[in-house]
Amino acid sequence: MIWRIRDRDTFVALRRRGRRVRSGPVWISYLLDEPGTPPHPPRVAFAFGRRHGNAVSRNALRRRCRAVVAGAVREGIAIPPGAYLIGGGTSTGSLPYADLERHVRRCLADVGSGRS
């Protein structure tokens, strides 16, 4: 199960204290929950602005990334509790689904292993 980030404070915290991992044109900025906080599912948001195309293109890219993250969770890939902001360069929108999936999963694996 994945939740969405809805509050501004989380976005501000991601910008100030977040760590970033990158694979190809895809990046994930993340801020893991502090030990001892009540456990809850990871919270995910997407950062694809106007440079990625019109609203239809951006929404399709968000849906594709959301499907990759949901698929990773269904397959049992452990995503530590925290806040995640997924984004990418302008070429992200033109990636075939398999390449997008590979890059997002590589970033998630780097987060899970503690690399950044």
Side-chain angles (χ1 to χ4, degrees):
M1 180 175 189
I2 301 290
W3 287 357
R4 295 181 186 203
I5 298 175
R6 297 191 184 267
D7 60 306
R8 178 168 167 69
D9 292 339
T10 304
F11 287 105
V12 170
L14 277 166
R15 185 171 10 107
R16 289 185 181 161
R17 300 188 325 258
R19 301 178 78 181
R20 188 175 276 202
V21 292
R22 178 178 214 90
S23 174
V26 176
W27 54 262
I28 297 180
S29 181
Y30 67 96
L31 187 59
L32 300 179
D33 288 347
E34 297 293 326
T37 59
H40 51 72
R43 299 167 316 279
V44 179
F46 302 94
F48 298 110
R50 290 186 178 165
R51 65 187 178 141
H52 291 92
N54 61 21
V56 174
S57 302
R58 294 190 309 267
N59 288 334
L61 183 54
R62 285 184 195 104
R63 283 192 303 272
R64 291 170 63 205
C65 287
R66 193 174 296 122
V68 169
V69 173
V73 169
R74 273 193 310 276
E75 291 175 16
I77 295 174
I79 301 174
Y84 298 85
L85 182 63
I86 300 174
T90 54
S91 64
T92 307
S94 62
L95 286 175
Y97 184 81
D99 291 343
L100 179 66
E101 181 177 38
R102 180 173 43 89
H103 289 303
V104 171
R105 285 179 180 238
R106 188 176 296 153
C107 287
L108 290 173
D110 287 350
V111 169
S113 68
R115 287 181 269 171
S116 66

